[in-house]
Amino acid sequence: MEITPAILQRYNSGTATDAEVEAIETWLTSTDTEAYSLDPVDLAEMKAAVWDNLLEQAIDEQRSIRSIHASRSKVIYLPLVAAMLLLLVGVVVFQKLNWTTANGSVSEGLLITSAQGPIEVLGDNFKVQFSGYLQVVNRSNQYKSIECTNGEQYTLDPGETYYLETIDGRHYLIAERHLSPEDNYLRFVKGEVEVIAKTI
Amino acid sequence: MYRLLLFFTLCLQACNPFGGSVQPNDKGTILIGTRVNTPQGRMYYLGAYSAIPSQVAPQDMTLLGHNIAIYSYGEHPYIWDGTAAQLFKYEVGKDNEIVAVDSIGFERIAKSNSFGAVAFISEEEAYVFFLAEGKVIEFNPTTMKLVKQMEVDALPIEKGVMVGTNTYYAFVGNDGKILLPVGADPSTFGKFSERACVAVFDSKAKSVRYNEDRRMTIGYNNFTKDFANGDLYYRPSKYIARVQDYSPSQKDAVSGGLLRVRSDGTYDPDFFVDLQKVLDAHRIISVIAVQGKDVLVQYIEKDWKMPANPGQWFGCSTKLAMVDVEALTFKDITSLDKYGTVYPVGEVDGKAYYSNFGAEDGKYHFFEQDNTTILNTKIEAIGGSGIYIARLR
């Protein structure tokens, strides 16, 4: 599988498929650049950005402390030259890709979290069938629309987080900006969701 | 050149699988948590500082994730990660770097979504509560090892009540007792309990009892503390106020009151104030601060027009008032209006701290309470709201 920036973004955000995760983790410890069509310097830049993201999001990767150390231990087997290559492109990585934790990377879709976990869907208009209480994050720079199967339609502002709730069989949308920040509403997410993209 | 050197340091850390070892910080570090707006959604950040800073920004803090709860005890922050169902122990180094050093998981013992709260008794004794399942787990915070798993009386289920409950917060009281207000699940909508309830865990007897008071309904995040004398109060919750607005059968239930909770977890029978009546309000949103007889209350005015869409209820217009709970009088407070909604986030050196969201200028602050209920801006939080502040010992 070819490693692309889109796949790396999904890996960093925890929404990559199992096959993508396996491919990326193999690539992270590989020095073979012939299998990839991207420029080797670009590959090194992306690799450095992923490692920095792992360092800062160690807990959010849902791994134990021991397994993170086990993953990291692979790096010590990289030749020192490879480590210096990461160092040399480091500044370029931060400036070019702007993958800092504060700014994050902007994707094009929605991140919808149910009891089954998060899924990222690309597109502009969606129809969802769900029960319970979902979190929906519009991670793009555009407005998106969401239609519930009971007929309710909502517009999602760029960069905003919402909660879709179910009351007496109808669905309502709550903007997170109106909720108390000291509460973590993700802990209350429940139910299942099926997403149907209308247009892409 | 500085950024190259900084990145070189990070790379060396990345290459060292044992980079988690740091020199412990013994300066009584200030720990600050914020929730920052990012393109990937709101994320929680944690920073450590040698003194109260004038500003906190995410680029100087540690990213925790988006499904977490922050605790601290002794010299260490502890972070509950709801996605991993693990409690992580952190260490703050002498340069205020925050590093995860250990963890304990409960995924084989209890369901992550029934996690309630964590309470620390000592360096060797702490508890995690899953009372919806009737489970309490004792662990040793020094070793991060499981000590004991206890089966206790589960949260009582009231017949006909549809809104689920859990204990989301814990307060360590006297004599080894841990007080946990029973809260309504904010994501459920329906008939709610019309009884206030506190779970009291006796860490010596390893048992739980539930104390109820029928003068007021259940809520969420119900405890507030008078930092001047340590008194605990059971306060209203906007989540129940909202459900109540769309539940005609419960529209007259007393959700806007204030009860006092004694150190043994029982309610003071001689204290109750119906704040909604005193203010002649539509609903009470929250009690923000208490100091003696003065209570700072956020409320919705009586003539507010309720939206047909319950999802829009949280955008309601509110006011602040200082209520004298002895004289049962009040005066409107406008000095904090420009900050939007204000809420408590912790305590440092005996002074209560608060944060805000929804300010007119879009800015976020930490406020320090002085000897009255006056809140003074103390720290600017860049990128998002403050959610936690404490001093490590």
Side-chain angles (χ1 to χ4, degrees):
Chain A
M1 178 184 294
E2 181 170 355
I3 304 302
T4 65
I7 293 176
L8 286 174
Q9 286 191 11
R10 287 197 291 275
Y11 181 79
N12 280 342
S13 65
T15 58
T17 64
D18 289 346
E20 289 173 340
V21 168
E22 185 179 353
I24 288 170
E25 292 186 345
T26 300
W27 168 75
L28 279 173
T29 55
S30 167
T31 56
D32 180 10
T33 60
E34 290 181 3
Y36 307 102
S37 60
L38 286 174
D39 181 273
V41 174
D42 288 333
L43 277 174
E45 291 176 3
M46 293 195 297
K47 194 175 285 191
V50 172
W51 273 121
D52 279 300
N53 201 47
L54 278 175
L55 180 67
E56 292 183 353
Q57 297 193 34
I59 304 309
D60 199 36
E61 289 295 325
Q62 302 182 39
R63 296 179 194 166
S64 69
I65 300 299
R66 291 182 188 80
S67 63
I68 281 290
H69 285 173
S71 297
R72 283 283 181 220
S73 68
K74 296 179 187 175
V75 181
I76 68 172
Y77 296 113
L78 285 173
L80 184 59
V81 169
M84 293 301 294
L85 178 63
L86 291 178
L87 164 63
L88 287 173
V89 301
V91 172
V92 176
V93 164
F94 280 118
Q95 290 176 338
K96 183 175 174 182
L97 298 178
N98 199 27
W99 255 341
T100 63
T101 55
N103 294 327
S105 60
V106 177
S107 74
E108 296 175 1
L110 299 184
L111 186 71
I112 301 176
T113 304
S114 69
Q116 274 63 50
I119 54 170
E120 182 161 17
V121 288
L122 301 178
D124 293 326
N125 306 298
F126 304 90
K127 190 166 184 173
V128 293
Q129 183 167 357
F130 76 98
S131 60
Y133 188 81
L134 308 180
Q135 186 194 61
V136 181
V137 183
N138 182 356
R139 304 169 73 181
S140 75
N141 291 326
Q142 291 97 34
Y143 290 90
K144 306 284 183 185
S145 71
I146 197 163
E147 180 185 342
C148 303
T149 47
N150 289 336
E152 304 92 358
Q153 294 188 2
Y154 299 104
T155 299
L156 309 177
D157 296 344
E160 186 53 78
T161 298
Y162 298 87
Y163 295 89
L164 270 172
E165 60 178 348
T166 307
I167 302 173
D168 293 333
R170 297 191 63 85
H171 302 305
Y172 300 97
L173 192 75
I174 302 170
E176 188 176 69
R177 62 179 177 268
H178 294 311
L179 299 176
S180 297
E182 80 270 39
D183 294 324
N184 167 27
Y185 302 93
L186 202 53
R187 71 183 297 181
F188 303 118
V189 161
K190 54 177 70 73
E192 301 176 338
V193 64
E194 183 183 349
V195 180
I196 305 161
K198 280 186 178 175
T199 60
I200 293 184
Chain B
M1 174 56 74
Y2 172 78
R3 292 180 72 175
L4 270 174
L5 286 174
L6 174 63
F7 191 69
F8 179 72
T9 305
L10 288 173
C11 279
L12 287 179
Q13 265 193 306
C15 292
N16 180 4
F18 308 107
S21 176
V22 296
Q23 290 296 316
N25 187 314
D26 59 359
K27 296 179 185 174
T29 306
I30 302 293
L31 203 61
I32 291 177
T34 59
R35 193 188 71 174
V36 175
N37 310 321
T38 80
Q40 300 196 4
R42 288 177 175 82
M43 295 286 182
Y44 294 90
Y45 284 78
L46 190 68
Y49 308 87
S50 302
I52 300 284
S54 59
Q55 189 182 84
V56 293
Q59 57 263 33
D60 304 318
M61 303 167 83
T62 299
L63 172 67
L64 299 177
H66 55 213
N67 187 3
I68 62 100
I70 300 174
Y71 305 89
S72 63
Y73 186 80
E75 297 176 348
H76 300 279
Y78 295 83
I79 306 299
W80 168 260
D81 184 319
T83 303
Q86 293 197 350
L87 185 71
F88 290 86
K89 179 179 182 178
Y90 283 73
E91 202 155 79
V92 179
K94 59 182 179 180
D95 295 325
N96 290 331
E97 69 276 26
I98 299 174
V99 178
V101 294
D102 210 340
S103 69
I104 182 171
F106 306 99
E107 61 275 8
R108 285 175 296 185
I109 301 172
K111 299 174 193 166
S112 176
N113 61 6
S114 71
F115 165 75
V118 183
F120 296 84
I121 300 289
S122 71
E123 299 285 351
E124 290 78 34
E125 185 183 3
Y127 297 89
V128 183
F129 295 89
F130 298 86
L131 290 181
E133 293 184 60
K135 292 180 180 172
V136 179
I137 297 165
E138 181 181 350
F139 72 99
N140 183 325
T142 296
T143 63
M144 293 297 277
K145 298 292 183 203
L146 181 69
V147 172
K148 193 172 183 178
Q149 178 185 337
M150 291 160 273
E151 304 285 332
V152 299
D153 289 335
L155 286 163
I157 298 175
E158 209 175 314
K159 192 177 175 184
V161 165
M162 296 165 61
V163 173
T165 59
N166 203 345
T167 53
Y168 302 103
Y169 297 89
F171 294 76
V172 179
N174 296 338
D175 197 27
K177 290 194 173 51
I178 299 171
L179 310 184
L180 306 108
V182 177
D185 181 340
S187 68
T188 56
F189 215 91
K191 187 174 191 297
F192 53 88
S193 173
E194 296 188 19
R195 307 171 194 174
C197 185
V198 176
V200 182
F201 176 72
D202 187 330
S203 63
K204 294 176 183 173
K206 312 295 187 198
S207 63
V208 171
R209 72 170 191 275
Y210 296 93
N211 297 328
E212 295 183 343
D213 194 307
R214 298 192 180 210
R215 290 176 288 177
M216 189 175 155
T217 69
I218 199 168
Y220 173 82
N221 192 0
N222 277 113
F223 276 6
T224 190
K225 184 177 171 183
D226 183 340
F227 287 93
N229 58 24
D231 282 351
L232 271 181
Y233 292 85
Y234 187 98
R235 61 180 175 170
S237 160
K238 63 186 176 187
Y239 300 105
I240 290 299
R242 181 176 81 118
V243 174
Q244 191 175 13
D245 269 352
Y246 297 94
S247 305
S249 64
Q250 291 187 286
K251 66 179 177 62
D252 296 324
V254 180
S255 64
L258 192 69
L259 294 163
R260 185 153 57 207
V261 181
R262 297 185 287 204
S263 60
D264 62 356
T266 57
Y267 292 92
D268 182 349
D270 297 325
F271 183 92
F272 174 72
V273 178
D274 190 335
L275 296 169
Q276 185 173 312
K277 270 191 180 164
V278 172
L279 290 162
D280 195 26
H282 172 78
R283 294 287 177 223
I284 303 299
I285 293 290
S286 183
V287 163
I288 298 168
V290 178
Q291 188 149 44
K293 62 182 178 61
D294 294 323
V295 177
L296 184 61
V297 182
Q298 184 180 14
Y299 70 101
I300 303 172
E301 287 188 283
K302 200 173 185 78
D303 57 0
W304 177 67
K305 194 172 182 319
M306 198 174 79
N309 182 336
Q312 297 173 350
W313 190 96
F314 291 106
C316 57
S317 167
T318 64
K319 295 185 72 172
L320 286 177
M322 192 74 76
V323 177
D324 183 324
V325 294
E326 289 180 0
L328 299 184
T329 57
F330 73 95
K331 57 182 179 185
D332 281 326
I333 301 294
T334 57
S335 57
L336 298 175
D337 284 352
K338 61 184 176 182
Y339 297 116
T341 296
V342 175
Y343 52 93
V345 291
E347 171 193 358
V348 175
D349 302 334
K351 287 190 182 288
Y353 276 75
Y354 302 80
S355 286
N356 74 301
F357 70 98
E360 292 171 1
D361 61 4
K363 291 188 176 180
Y364 306 94
H365 298 275
F366 284 82
F367 308 87
E368 181 187 84
Q369 182 177 346
D370 68 11
N371 291 332
T372 68
T373 35
I374 301 294
L375 305 184
N376 302 301
T377 54
K378 197 77 176 171
I379 307 166
E380 184 182 5
I382 304 299
S385 301
I387 56 161
Y388 187 87
I389 189 168
R391 184 186 287 280
L392 299 177
R393 295 191 299 277

